[in-house]
Amino acid sequence: MSQISLTFPDGNARSYDAGVTPAEVAASIATSLAKKAISATVDGQHWDLAWPITQDAQIAINTLKDNDAEALELIRHDCAHIMARAVQEIWPDVKVTIGPVIEHGWYYDFDRAEPFTPEDLGLIEKKMKEIINLRDPVRTEVWERDVAVKYYEERGEPYKVELIDAIPGNEPLRMYWHGDWQDLCRGPHLQHTGQVPADAFKLMSVAGAYWRGDSSRAMLQRIYGVAFKNKDDLKKHLTMLEEAAKRDHRKLGGEMDLFHMQPEAPGQVFWHPNGWTVYTELQDYMRRQQRRGGYVEVNTPQVVDRKLWEKSGHWDKYQENMFIVEVDEEHAREKAINALKPMNCPCHVQIFNQGLKSYRDLPLRMAEFGSCARYEPSGALHGIMRVRGFTQDDGHIFCTEDQITDETARFIAFLSKVYADLGFHNWTIKLSTRPEQRIGEDESWDRVEKALGDACNAAGYEYEILEGEGAFYGPKLEFTLTDAIGRDWQCGTLQVDPFLPERLEANYIGEDGAKHRPVMLHRATLGSFERFIGILIEEHAGKLPFWLAPRQVVVAAIVSDANDYCLEVVEQLKAAGVRAEADLRNEKINYKVREHSVGKVPVILAIGKKEVEERTVSTRRLGEKQSKVQPLDEIVTQLKAEATPPDLA
RNA sequence: GCUGCUGUAGCUCAGUGGUAGAGCGCACCCUUGGUAAGGGUGAGGCCGGGAGUUCAAUCCUCCCCAGCAGCACCA
């Protein structure tokens, strides 16, 4: 048998028979290592201890203790298998499908006639612990395709048969055995079930999920679990989830009296005075930014005849998701059918099309705080983050293809400044490329996709590529922020669209005196005010930056003799442009402090006898225990400065 | 839209086949209290909507609406 040379992380190399497994390698070093080992990393690939190595390679033996990423991957993956085995032991008629590792844990999809109940999850967890305690060995086998298909057909596992059919013919079919239970799986896995920490996992929830992510196919039951290396990490994770729930914008929206929603208008927001203050403050800020950024602001109609939507192509594609308004005029022959605008683009093109445009007018940047209505599927609605009525900070840049890169880079700079001003520093860019169903030449897609990528690079940002996720007419950049519990939300966007100018016959006169077609860049920075304010609330856990806080200062009287002075303080603050209010209620200062703290008021000025006499205030900042006595003039100057939006400071 | 769960006072939630309860909040009274809940009294409910079963339904069954989790969707 031929020899191979394996190089260890410390640089030492040893010679082994070709086909040696990492388990044998570990055993050759120390029996304790062989026992502790969970997997290997072979030439950068995560490698099962039982897989043979046939050529020279770099090798590292992973253990539960020292290798976080690998350990968690294996623990979670083995949990998926152990859970599937537990489910089939309890309910033998349940059909298994797939169970991948995800962030913090795993899920596994099952086909079962009866729904899993919360009590069932408890049963499954108990059974899983039993399997872990058995310390059943994990074995891997490579099967022939027809053998595997026959095996699954006999056992009534149609989903597995379908999976095998989808695996390319030249790939080996690997079977993993956890004791006497077996699953088709790429691997790698642990050595035995006992290597999963029995006290560091938890089944979290069960929900429906379509087989193969296809809404036309069977709805399966997906059980989610989380798993960690030890009990403490699990506990930390559960605590984090509890904390995150407190930051939920829907909860804080009520506590801070920002907005409410009700069944008569599902997916639409009733903004209360506090919430509307945040909204308008943000809108004023965006308006200033856009003026500075070279945009002209416009406004367009809400109710627009279907003819325009037919022309733009939206009627065909999105009719189901539009709010239709039919008007039955007395003398009309037929009803007028309109749609509430689901987007602003076609309307902006109408403005562009007024009068003749010259190449000298390009790039033309047109912005609108555009109210849109989309009939989103009921299950998609989520607080104020996914709604049916919303206002985009929309904008369209009419330009030439040559100007795309510059305009994109310019927009990225614009957006990053806005996000930074609003307290966001961790956001990501995704570049969605050509989908299967598309229009236009591949050459043009090549150029435009490159233009977007170049612009990101020029602006100094990395981006992730979402293959095939672009719109049918062009690629797009998505700017994504994350909510309190780690769900991603697309906020900003930039889409290249040569299609709509074509359909709506936009053109400009070029240097050569002939008509040319502009390209349109759809772009939004916040996305929608609704979603962005939701994210803003969660990001700051309700403690909005002072300039955005709806209630900035409460002046609270400690004794009623201080009332007049409190009102005077409020007047001075208001005159300085600060949102201040007096709390003269017959309540103890403790009570007032608590109430306004819960309401996330950033500054409480407490006024007692002493402050009245000395013309001072006792300043207490949200989140701080300590209060500070300072002269009235000083605090007014200070808060005036803090209330100034970052772009005006 | 799909699967599952939920819907009782303004809010958070108990509860029962014989038309309801707590805490907080609200109103009024007492209390003038120094930085996260002072005390008392009181008002407040078509038990999400509709139909059915029953002598009787907030409770059981069905349909609808809305919310929650996930999936699918997101111009």
Side-chain angles (χ1 to χ4, degrees), chain A residues 210 343 378 558 586 594 611 618 620:
Chain A
Y210 295 110
M343 53 180 349
S378 58
I558 297 170
N586 177 18
R594 180 186 146 77
E611 286 77 10
S618 169
R620 184 193 163 106

PDB file of all heavy atoms in Angstrom, chain A residues 210 343 378 558 586 594 611 618 620, chain B residues 1 31-35 37 73 75:
ATOM      1  N   TYR A 210     -42.813  24.407   3.501  1.00  0.00           N
ATOM      2  CA  TYR A 210     -43.084  23.667   2.274  1.00  0.00           C
ATOM      3  C   TYR A 210     -41.935  22.731   1.924  1.00  0.00           C
ATOM      4  O   TYR A 210     -40.768  23.079   2.102  1.00  0.00           O
ATOM      5  CB  TYR A 210     -43.278  24.626   1.095  1.00  0.00           C
ATOM      6  CG  TYR A 210     -44.496  25.501   1.232  1.00  0.00           C
ATOM      7  CD1 TYR A 210     -44.375  26.856   1.474  1.00  0.00           C
ATOM      8  CD2 TYR A 210     -45.756  24.950   1.114  1.00  0.00           C
ATOM      9  CE1 TYR A 210     -45.494  27.658   1.596  1.00  0.00           C
ATOM     10  CE2 TYR A 210     -46.884  25.743   1.228  1.00  0.00           C
ATOM     11  CZ  TYR A 210     -46.757  27.098   1.473  1.00  0.00           C
ATOM     12  OH  TYR A 210     -47.861  27.884   1.597  1.00  0.00           O
ATOM     13  N   MET A 343     -46.250  51.623  -6.135  1.00  0.00           N
ATOM     14  CA  MET A 343     -44.877  52.092  -6.303  1.00  0.00           C
ATOM     15  C   MET A 343     -44.930  53.432  -7.022  1.00  0.00           C
ATOM     16  O   MET A 343     -45.955  53.796  -7.590  1.00  0.00           O
ATOM     17  CB  MET A 343     -44.096  51.103  -7.143  1.00  0.00           C
ATOM     18  CG  MET A 343     -44.820  50.826  -8.432  1.00  0.00           C
ATOM     19  SD  MET A 343     -44.014  49.676  -9.494  1.00  0.00           S
ATOM     20  CE  MET A 343     -42.455  49.494  -8.783  1.00  0.00           C
ATOM     21  N   SER A 378     -51.554  37.929   3.862  1.00  0.00           N
ATOM     22  CA  SER A 378     -51.822  38.131   5.291  1.00  0.00           C
ATOM     23  C   SER A 378     -50.696  37.609   6.174  1.00  0.00           C
ATOM     24  O   SER A 378     -50.336  38.226   7.161  1.00  0.00           O
ATOM     25  CB  SER A 378     -53.138  37.449   5.656  1.00  0.00           C
ATOM     26  OG  SER A 378     -53.059  36.065   5.335  1.00  0.00           O
ATOM     27  N   ILE A 558     -41.213  68.050  42.268  1.00  0.00           N
ATOM     28  CA  ILE A 558     -41.147  67.198  43.457  1.00  0.00           C
ATOM     29  C   ILE A 558     -42.181  67.675  44.487  1.00  0.00           C
ATOM     30  O   ILE A 558     -42.830  66.885  45.153  1.00  0.00           O
ATOM     31  CB  ILE A 558     -39.722  67.218  44.067  1.00  0.00           C
ATOM     32  CG1 ILE A 558     -38.724  66.626  43.070  1.00  0.00           C
ATOM     33  CG2 ILE A 558     -39.691  66.443  45.382  1.00  0.00           C
ATOM     34  CD1 ILE A 558     -37.282  66.812  43.444  1.00  0.00           C
ATOM     35  N   ASN A 586     -49.849  65.184  41.157  1.00  0.00           N
ATOM     36  CA  ASN A 586     -49.698  64.946  42.586  1.00  0.00           C
ATOM     37  C   ASN A 586     -49.204  63.507  42.816  1.00  0.00           C
ATOM     38  O   ASN A 586     -49.930  62.655  43.288  1.00  0.00           O
ATOM     39  CB  ASN A 586     -51.056  65.198  43.252  1.00  0.00           C
ATOM     40  CG  ASN A 586     -51.014  64.893  44.737  1.00  0.00           C
ATOM     41  OD1 ASN A 586     -49.933  64.817  45.322  1.00  0.00           O
ATOM     42  ND2 ASN A 586     -52.179  64.703  45.326  1.00  0.00           N
ATOM     43  N   ARG A 594     -39.967  56.599  37.546  1.00  0.00           N
ATOM     44  CA  ARG A 594     -40.203  55.264  37.020  1.00  0.00           C
ATOM     45  C   ARG A 594     -41.035  55.315  35.737  1.00  0.00           C
ATOM     46  O   ARG A 594     -40.694  54.722  34.725  1.00  0.00           O
ATOM     47  CB  ARG A 594     -40.929  54.399  38.053  1.00  0.00           C
ATOM     48  CG  ARG A 594     -41.189  53.005  37.537  1.00  0.00           C
ATOM     49  CD  ARG A 594     -42.036  52.159  38.455  1.00  0.00           C
ATOM     50  NE  ARG A 594     -42.862  51.285  37.657  1.00  0.00           N
ATOM     51  CZ  ARG A 594     -42.439  50.178  37.055  1.00  0.00           C
ATOM     52  NH1 ARG A 594     -41.187  49.830  37.178  1.00  0.00           N
ATOM     53  NH2 ARG A 594     -43.251  49.457  36.331  1.00  0.00           N
ATOM     54  N   GLU A 611     -34.012  73.587  44.007  1.00  0.00           N
ATOM     55  CA  GLU A 611     -33.800  74.022  42.626  1.00  0.00           C
ATOM     56  C   GLU A 611     -34.510  75.346  42.352  1.00  0.00           C
ATOM     57  O   GLU A 611     -33.995  76.197  41.626  1.00  0.00           O
ATOM     58  CB  GLU A 611     -34.276  72.957  41.629  1.00  0.00           C
ATOM     59  CG  GLU A 611     -33.356  71.746  41.515  1.00  0.00           C
ATOM     60  CD  GLU A 611     -33.505  70.778  42.674  1.00  0.00           C
ATOM     61  OE1 GLU A 611     -34.453  70.937  43.473  1.00  0.00           O
ATOM     62  OE2 GLU A 611     -32.670  69.869  42.798  1.00  0.00           O
ATOM     63  N   SER A 618     -32.266  69.359  38.583  1.00  0.00           N
ATOM     64  CA  SER A 618     -31.588  68.104  38.892  1.00  0.00           C
ATOM     65  C   SER A 618     -31.803  67.185  37.683  1.00  0.00           C
ATOM     66  O   SER A 618     -32.906  66.744  37.422  1.00  0.00           O
ATOM     67  CB  SER A 618     -32.178  67.496  40.159  1.00  0.00           C
ATOM     68  OG  SER A 618     -31.717  66.185  40.310  1.00  0.00           O
ATOM     69  N   ARG A 620     -31.541  63.977  35.310  1.00  0.00           N
ATOM     70  CA  ARG A 620     -31.359  62.534  35.358  1.00  0.00           C
ATOM     71  C   ARG A 620     -31.507  61.989  33.945  1.00  0.00           C
ATOM     72  O   ARG A 620     -32.524  62.184  33.292  1.00  0.00           O
ATOM     73  CB  ARG A 620     -32.401  61.895  36.264  1.00  0.00           C
ATOM     74  CG  ARG A 620     -32.182  60.416  36.423  1.00  0.00           C
ATOM     75  CD  ARG A 620     -33.385  59.749  37.058  1.00  0.00           C
ATOM     76  NE  ARG A 620     -33.308  58.326  36.840  1.00  0.00           N
ATOM     77  CZ  ARG A 620     -32.995  57.442  37.779  1.00  0.00           C
ATOM     78  NH1 ARG A 620     -32.753  57.841  39.000  1.00  0.00           N
ATOM     79  NH2 ARG A 620     -32.928  56.165  37.482  1.00  0.00           N
TER      80      ARG A 620
ATOM     81  P     G B   1     -55.534  35.173   3.217  1.00  0.00           P
ATOM     82  OP1   G B   1     -56.839  35.105   2.626  1.00  0.00           O
ATOM     83  OP2   G B   1     -54.850  36.419   3.354  1.00  0.00           O
ATOM     84  O5'   G B   1     -54.608  34.170   2.427  1.00  0.00           O
ATOM     85  C5'   G B   1     -55.053  33.648   1.202  1.00  0.00           C
ATOM     86  C4'   G B   1     -54.044  32.663   0.727  1.00  0.00           C
ATOM     87  O4'   G B   1     -52.783  33.345   0.529  1.00  0.00           O
ATOM     88  C3'   G B   1     -53.700  31.549   1.713  1.00  0.00           C
ATOM     89  O3'   G B   1     -54.635  30.496   1.610  1.00  0.00           O
ATOM     90  C2'   G B   1     -52.324  31.115   1.237  1.00  0.00           C
ATOM     91  O2'   G B   1     -52.411  30.323   0.076  1.00  0.00           O
ATOM     92  C1'   G B   1     -51.703  32.473   0.838  1.00  0.00           C
ATOM     93  N9    G B   1     -50.913  33.079   1.915  1.00  0.00           N
ATOM     94  C8    G B   1     -51.200  34.239   2.586  1.00  0.00           C
ATOM     95  N7    G B   1     -50.296  34.543   3.486  1.00  0.00           N
ATOM     96  C5    G B   1     -49.358  33.496   3.400  1.00  0.00           C
ATOM     97  C6    G B   1     -48.154  33.272   4.122  1.00  0.00           C
ATOM     98  O6    G B   1     -47.669  33.980   5.011  1.00  0.00           O
ATOM     99  N1    G B   1     -47.527  32.100   3.729  1.00  0.00           N
ATOM    100  C2    G B   1     -47.999  31.260   2.751  1.00  0.00           C
ATOM    101  N2    G B   1     -47.261  30.181   2.500  1.00  0.00           N
ATOM    102  N3    G B   1     -49.111  31.467   2.066  1.00  0.00           N
ATOM    103  C4    G B   1     -49.736  32.585   2.430  1.00  0.00           C
ATOM    104  P     U B  31     -54.326  65.571  53.401  1.00  0.00           P
ATOM    105  OP1   U B  31     -54.119  66.121  54.750  1.00  0.00           O
ATOM    106  OP2   U B  31     -54.629  66.461  52.269  1.00  0.00           O
ATOM    107  O5'   U B  31     -53.048  64.695  52.998  1.00  0.00           O
ATOM    108  C5'   U B  31     -52.318  63.973  53.986  1.00  0.00           C
ATOM    109  C4'   U B  31     -51.218  63.182  53.319  1.00  0.00           C
ATOM    110  O4'   U B  31     -51.786  62.376  52.253  1.00  0.00           O
ATOM    111  C3'   U B  31     -50.152  64.009  52.612  1.00  0.00           C
ATOM    112  O3'   U B  31     -49.179  64.514  53.502  1.00  0.00           O
ATOM    113  C2'   U B  31     -49.577  62.988  51.642  1.00  0.00           C
ATOM    114  O2'   U B  31     -48.733  62.071  52.297  1.00  0.00           O
ATOM    115  C1'   U B  31     -50.858  62.260  51.186  1.00  0.00           C
ATOM    116  N1    U B  31     -51.424  62.904  49.984  1.00  0.00           N
ATOM    117  C2    U B  31     -50.907  62.531  48.758  1.00  0.00           C
ATOM    118  O2    U B  31     -50.017  61.697  48.649  1.00  0.00           O
ATOM    119  N3    U B  31     -51.447  63.173  47.669  1.00  0.00           N
ATOM    120  C4    U B  31     -52.444  64.119  47.682  1.00  0.00           C
ATOM    121  O4    U B  31     -52.831  64.601  46.627  1.00  0.00           O
ATOM    122  C5    U B  31     -52.938  64.456  48.996  1.00  0.00           C
ATOM    123  C6    U B  31     -52.422  63.852  50.069  1.00  0.00           C
ATOM    124  P     U B  32     -48.680  66.018  53.301  1.00  0.00           P
ATOM    125  OP1   U B  32     -47.820  66.357  54.457  1.00  0.00           O
ATOM    126  OP2   U B  32     -49.864  66.843  52.983  1.00  0.00           O
ATOM    127  O5'   U B  32     -47.791  65.982  51.981  1.00  0.00           O
ATOM    128  C5'   U B  32     -46.520  65.339  51.940  1.00  0.00           C
ATOM    129  C4'   U B  32     -45.562  66.146  51.092  1.00  0.00           C
ATOM    130  O4'   U B  32     -46.173  66.381  49.797  1.00  0.00           O
ATOM    131  C3'   U B  32     -45.230  67.522  51.665  1.00  0.00           C
ATOM    132  O3'   U B  32     -43.861  67.829  51.438  1.00  0.00           O
ATOM    133  C2'   U B  32     -46.073  68.466  50.833  1.00  0.00           C
ATOM    134  O2'   U B  32     -45.511  69.742  50.663  1.00  0.00           O
ATOM    135  C1'   U B  32     -46.103  67.751  49.486  1.00  0.00           C
ATOM    136  N1    U B  32     -47.269  68.092  48.663  1.00  0.00           N
ATOM    137  C2    U B  32     -47.052  68.824  47.508  1.00  0.00           C
ATOM    138  O2    U B  32     -45.948  69.173  47.148  1.00  0.00           O
ATOM    139  N3    U B  32     -48.176  69.144  46.801  1.00  0.00           N
ATOM    140  C4    U B  32     -49.467  68.812  47.102  1.00  0.00           C
ATOM    141  O4    U B  32     -50.368  69.172  46.352  1.00  0.00           O
ATOM    142  C5    U B  32     -49.618  68.040  48.318  1.00  0.00           C
ATOM    143  C6    U B  32     -48.535  67.719  49.031  1.00  0.00           C
ATOM    144  P     G B  33     -42.724  67.127  52.293  1.00  0.00           P
ATOM    145  OP1   G B  33     -43.268  66.745  53.604  1.00  0.00           O
ATOM    146  OP2   G B  33     -41.534  68.002  52.183  1.00  0.00           O
ATOM    147  O5'   G B  33     -42.420  65.809  51.461  1.00  0.00           O
ATOM    148  C5'   G B  33     -42.041  64.615  52.144  1.00  0.00           C
ATOM    149  C4'   G B  33     -42.167  63.456  51.202  1.00  0.00           C
ATOM    150  O4'   G B  33     -43.418  63.553  50.489  1.00  0.00           O
ATOM    151  C3'   G B  33     -41.096  63.401  50.116  1.00  0.00           C
ATOM    152  O3'   G B  33     -39.968  62.689  50.565  1.00  0.00           O
ATOM    153  C2'   G B  33     -41.795  62.650  48.994  1.00  0.00           C
ATOM    154  O2'   G B  33     -41.759  61.258  49.204  1.00  0.00           O
ATOM    155  C1'   G B  33     -43.238  63.141  49.146  1.00  0.00           C
ATOM    156  N9    G B  33     -43.535  64.268  48.250  1.00  0.00           N
ATOM    157  C8    G B  33     -42.697  65.276  47.861  1.00  0.00           C
ATOM    158  N7    G B  33     -43.289  66.139  47.064  1.00  0.00           N
ATOM    159  C5    G B  33     -44.587  65.658  46.921  1.00  0.00           C
ATOM    160  C6    G B  33     -45.666  66.170  46.170  1.00  0.00           C
ATOM    161  O6    G B  33     -45.729  67.181  45.472  1.00  0.00           O
ATOM    162  N1    G B  33     -46.798  65.380  46.319  1.00  0.00           N
ATOM    163  C2    G B  33     -46.860  64.234  47.080  1.00  0.00           C
ATOM    164  N2    G B  33     -48.021  63.620  47.097  1.00  0.00           N
ATOM    165  N3    G B  33     -45.852  63.751  47.786  1.00  0.00           N
ATOM    166  C4    G B  33     -44.761  64.502  47.648  1.00  0.00           C
ATOM    167  P     G B  34     -38.576  63.362  50.453  1.00  0.00           P
ATOM    168  OP1   G B  34     -37.796  63.152  51.663  1.00  0.00           O
ATOM    169  OP2   G B  34     -38.789  64.739  49.944  1.00  0.00           O
ATOM    170  O5'   G B  34     -37.873  62.457  49.332  1.00  0.00           O
ATOM    171  C5'   G B  34     -38.332  62.477  48.021  1.00  0.00           C
ATOM    172  C4'   G B  34     -37.209  62.447  47.034  1.00  0.00           C
ATOM    173  O4'   G B  34     -37.040  63.792  46.505  1.00  0.00           O
ATOM    174  C3'   G B  34     -35.838  62.021  47.527  1.00  0.00           C
ATOM    175  O3'   G B  34     -35.144  61.487  46.391  1.00  0.00           O
ATOM    176  C2'   G B  34     -35.184  63.349  47.884  1.00  0.00           C
ATOM    177  O2'   G B  34     -33.777  63.330  47.811  1.00  0.00           O
ATOM    178  C1'   G B  34     -35.720  64.231  46.746  1.00  0.00           C
ATOM    179  N9    G B  34     -35.769  65.654  47.056  1.00  0.00           N
ATOM    180  C8    G B  34     -36.330  66.251  48.153  1.00  0.00           C
ATOM    181  N7    G B  34     -36.223  67.546  48.137  1.00  0.00           N
ATOM    182  C5    G B  34     -35.551  67.814  46.951  1.00  0.00           C
ATOM    183  C6    G B  34     -35.148  69.032  46.388  1.00  0.00           C
ATOM    184  O6    G B  34     -35.315  70.171  46.828  1.00  0.00           O
ATOM    185  N1    G B  34     -34.471  68.859  45.190  1.00  0.00           N
ATOM    186  C2    G B  34     -34.238  67.642  44.605  1.00  0.00           C
ATOM    187  N2    G B  34     -33.586  67.670  43.453  1.00  0.00           N
ATOM    188  N3    G B  34     -34.613  66.491  45.119  1.00  0.00           N
ATOM    189  C4    G B  34     -35.255  66.650  46.282  1.00  0.00           C
ATOM    190  P     U B  35     -34.162  60.139  46.517  1.00  0.00           P
ATOM    191  OP1   U B  35     -34.749  59.287  47.583  1.00  0.00           O
ATOM    192  OP2   U B  35     -32.777  60.620  46.608  1.00  0.00           O
ATOM    193  O5'   U B  35     -34.355  59.394  45.128  1.00  0.00           O
ATOM    194  C5'   U B  35     -35.659  58.951  44.732  1.00  0.00           C
ATOM    195  C4'   U B  35     -35.671  58.799  43.234  1.00  0.00           C
ATOM    196  O4'   U B  35     -35.717  60.110  42.633  1.00  0.00           O
ATOM    197  C3'   U B  35     -34.438  58.104  42.674  1.00  0.00           C
ATOM    198  O3'   U B  35     -34.827  57.331  41.566  1.00  0.00           O
ATOM    199  C2'   U B  35     -33.574  59.267  42.196  1.00  0.00           C
ATOM    200  O2'   U B  35     -32.707  58.921  41.143  1.00  0.00           O
ATOM    201  C1'   U B  35     -34.656  60.229  41.714  1.00  0.00           C
ATOM    202  N1    U B  35     -34.237  61.632  41.701  1.00  0.00           N
ATOM    203  C2    U B  35     -33.958  62.183  40.466  1.00  0.00           C
ATOM    204  O2    U B  35     -34.037  61.547  39.441  1.00  0.00           O
ATOM    205  N3    U B  35     -33.586  63.504  40.495  1.00  0.00           N
ATOM    206  C4    U B  35     -33.482  64.301  41.603  1.00  0.00           C
ATOM    207  O4    U B  35     -33.148  65.477  41.468  1.00  0.00           O
ATOM    208  C5    U B  35     -33.780  63.647  42.845  1.00  0.00           C
ATOM    209  C6    U B  35     -34.130  62.364  42.854  1.00  0.00           C
ATOM    210  P     A B  37     -39.766  52.016  42.862  1.00  0.00           P
ATOM    211  OP1   A B  37     -38.784  52.301  43.907  1.00  0.00           O
ATOM    212  OP2   A B  37     -40.217  50.633  42.647  1.00  0.00           O
ATOM    213  O5'   A B  37     -41.027  52.966  43.097  1.00  0.00           O
ATOM    214  C5'   A B  37     -41.705  53.542  41.999  1.00  0.00           C
ATOM    215  C4'   A B  37     -43.193  53.630  42.279  1.00  0.00           C
ATOM    216  O4'   A B  37     -43.869  52.868  41.252  1.00  0.00           O
ATOM    217  C3'   A B  37     -43.678  52.998  43.588  1.00  0.00           C
ATOM    218  O3'   A B  37     -44.955  53.555  43.908  1.00  0.00           O
ATOM    219  C2'   A B  37     -43.852  51.540  43.205  1.00  0.00           C
ATOM    220  O2'   A B  37     -44.792  50.855  44.010  1.00  0.00           O
ATOM    221  C1'   A B  37     -44.446  51.702  41.801  1.00  0.00           C
ATOM    222  N9    A B  37     -44.135  50.600  40.898  1.00  0.00           N
ATOM    223  C8    A B  37     -43.083  49.739  40.891  1.00  0.00           C
ATOM    224  N7    A B  37     -43.114  48.860  39.921  1.00  0.00           N
ATOM    225  C5    A B  37     -44.283  49.176  39.246  1.00  0.00           C
ATOM    226  C6    A B  37     -44.905  48.631  38.122  1.00  0.00           C
ATOM    227  N6    A B  37     -44.415  47.592  37.449  1.00  0.00           N
ATOM    228  N1    A B  37     -46.062  49.173  37.715  1.00  0.00           N
ATOM    229  C2    A B  37     -46.541  50.211  38.385  1.00  0.00           C
ATOM    230  N3    A B  37     -46.056  50.829  39.463  1.00  0.00           N
ATOM    231  C4    A B  37     -44.921  50.250  39.841  1.00  0.00           C
ATOM    232  P     C B  73     -40.502  32.198  -2.429  1.00  0.00           P
ATOM    233  OP1   C B  73     -40.084  31.899  -3.813  1.00  0.00           O
ATOM    234  OP2   C B  73     -39.478  32.475  -1.397  1.00  0.00           O
ATOM    235  O5'   C B  73     -41.509  33.436  -2.445  1.00  0.00           O
ATOM    236  C5'   C B  73     -42.562  33.492  -3.390  1.00  0.00           C
ATOM    237  C4'   C B  73     -43.430  34.701  -3.135  1.00  0.00           C
ATOM    238  O4'   C B  73     -43.943  34.652  -1.776  1.00  0.00           O
ATOM    239  C3'   C B  73     -42.714  36.049  -3.192  1.00  0.00           C
ATOM    240  O3'   C B  73     -42.531  36.494  -4.518  1.00  0.00           O
ATOM    241  C2'   C B  73     -43.682  36.923  -2.412  1.00  0.00           C
ATOM    242  O2'   C B  73     -44.823  37.236  -3.186  1.00  0.00           O
ATOM    243  C1'   C B  73     -44.085  35.981  -1.286  1.00  0.00           C
ATOM    244  N1    C B  73     -43.215  36.156  -0.107  1.00  0.00           N
ATOM    245  C2    C B  73     -43.473  37.247   0.738  1.00  0.00           C
ATOM    246  O2    C B  73     -44.420  37.994   0.462  1.00  0.00           O
ATOM    247  N3    C B  73     -42.686  37.446   1.820  1.00  0.00           N
ATOM    248  C4    C B  73     -41.678  36.623   2.072  1.00  0.00           C
ATOM    249  N4    C B  73     -40.932  36.860   3.150  1.00  0.00           N
ATOM    250  C5    C B  73     -41.386  35.502   1.230  1.00  0.00           C
ATOM    251  C6    C B  73     -42.174  35.305   0.168  1.00  0.00           C
ATOM    252  P     A B  75     -39.349  42.658  -4.988  1.00  0.00           P
ATOM    253  OP1   A B  75     -38.997  41.454  -5.774  1.00  0.00           O
ATOM    254  OP2   A B  75     -38.519  43.098  -3.862  1.00  0.00           O
ATOM    255  O5'   A B  75     -39.542  43.896  -5.958  1.00  0.00           O
ATOM    256  C5'   A B  75     -39.183  43.790  -7.302  1.00  0.00           C
ATOM    257  C4'   A B  75     -40.050  44.760  -8.078  1.00  0.00           C
ATOM    258  O4'   A B  75     -41.372  44.193  -8.223  1.00  0.00           O
ATOM    259  C3'   A B  75     -40.311  46.084  -7.391  1.00  0.00           C
ATOM    260  O3'   A B  75     -39.247  46.979  -7.578  1.00  0.00           O
ATOM    261  C2'   A B  75     -41.598  46.549  -8.050  1.00  0.00           C
ATOM    262  O2'   A B  75     -41.333  47.084  -9.318  1.00  0.00           O
ATOM    263  C1'   A B  75     -42.338  45.232  -8.200  1.00  0.00           C
ATOM    264  N9    A B  75     -43.264  44.986  -7.081  1.00  0.00           N
ATOM    265  C8    A B  75     -42.988  44.497  -5.838  1.00  0.00           C
ATOM    266  N7    A B  75     -44.054  44.385  -5.074  1.00  0.00           N
ATOM    267  C5    A B  75     -45.090  44.835  -5.874  1.00  0.00           C
ATOM    268  C6    A B  75     -46.477  44.978  -5.648  1.00  0.00           C
ATOM    269  N6    A B  75     -47.070  44.650  -4.507  1.00  0.00           N
ATOM    270  N1    A B  75     -47.226  45.470  -6.647  1.00  0.00           N
ATOM    271  C2    A B  75     -46.630  45.802  -7.792  1.00  0.00           C
ATOM    272  N3    A B  75     -45.332  45.711  -8.121  1.00  0.00           N
ATOM    273  C4    A B  75     -44.618  45.221  -7.111  1.00  0.00           C
TER     274        A B  75
END
